[in-house]
Amino acid sequence: MNRRPVSRPGRERGVGLIEVLVSVLVLSIGLLGIAWVQTRALSNNNSSMARSMAVVASYSILDAMRADRVRAMAGDYDVADMAANNCPAAGSLAQTQLRNWCLELGATLGAVASTKGTVDCDTEGECTITVTFDDSRIGEGGTGSQTVVTKGML
């Protein structure tokens, strides 16, 4: 005798579909979490890159001043809060170097009023370079303004 198992079509119908839907829901929540972590990592990397570019710009103006050491020690390169959206005119070597530095700050950190550079050298040749820029792209947990201070000798 060949007996077939009796199935109850009305009771177990759709159970497999619910399991699949729950699995898709759990998987999609996991993928959203991964996407959020990737987004945070990207914004932190952008912030880190901006700070690195500020340091590179600081060394750039220091090297330019080392090439014109006498004028730098005389205070020709001293400038306070030079905004990257309002670069000074070129003229003397010091003014041209400061203009080029200002344009570099604007190109790398944004040519806006919040991107500023300050140079302060004393007569002994010790210089302090300060670069301030907007770092609001880091999002939650970050500050809107970053300041990088570099000290060096001519």
Side-chain angles (χ1 to χ4, degrees), residues 8 22-23 32 50-52 65 67 74 83 93 109 119 129 135 145 154:
R8 297 181 186 151
V22 169
S23 298
L32 281 173
R51 285 190 302 274
S52 295
M65 290 188 304
L93 178 60
L109 300 171
V119 179
I129 312 298
D135 194 32
S145 179
L154 295 178

Side-chain angles (χ1 to χ4, degrees), residues 36-46:
W36 179 81
V37 168
Q38 285 289 88
T39 303
R40 284 297 287 170
L42 269 174
S43 68
N44 285 331
N45 284 342
N46 285 339

Side-chain angles (χ1 to χ4, degrees), residues 79-94:
V79 64
D81 290 333
M82 176 179 57
N85 67 341
N86 189 19
C87 295
S92 67
L93 178 60

Side-chain angles (χ1 to χ4, degrees), residues 56-130:
V56 168
S58 297
Y59 284 122
S60 171
I61 193 65
L62 270 172
D63 286 342
M65 290 188 304
R66 285 182 184 122
D68 192 15
R69 190 171 193 274
V70 173
R71 301 287 8 133
M73 290 177 71
D76 287 5
Y77 285 84
D78 289 1
V79 64
D81 290 333
M82 176 179 57
N85 67 341
N86 189 19
C87 295
S92 67
L93 178 60
Q95 291 168 335
T96 302
Q97 294 289 5
L98 285 171
R99 177 177 174 72
N100 291 341
W101 184 57
C102 179
L103 293 172
E104 178 184 356
L105 289 176
T108 57
L109 300 171
V112 293
S114 60
T115 302
K116 296 179 182 177
T118 300
V119 179
D120 183 30
C121 294
D122 62 17
T123 55
E124 301 294 318
E126 185 175 326
C127 297
T128 302
I129 312 298
T130 306

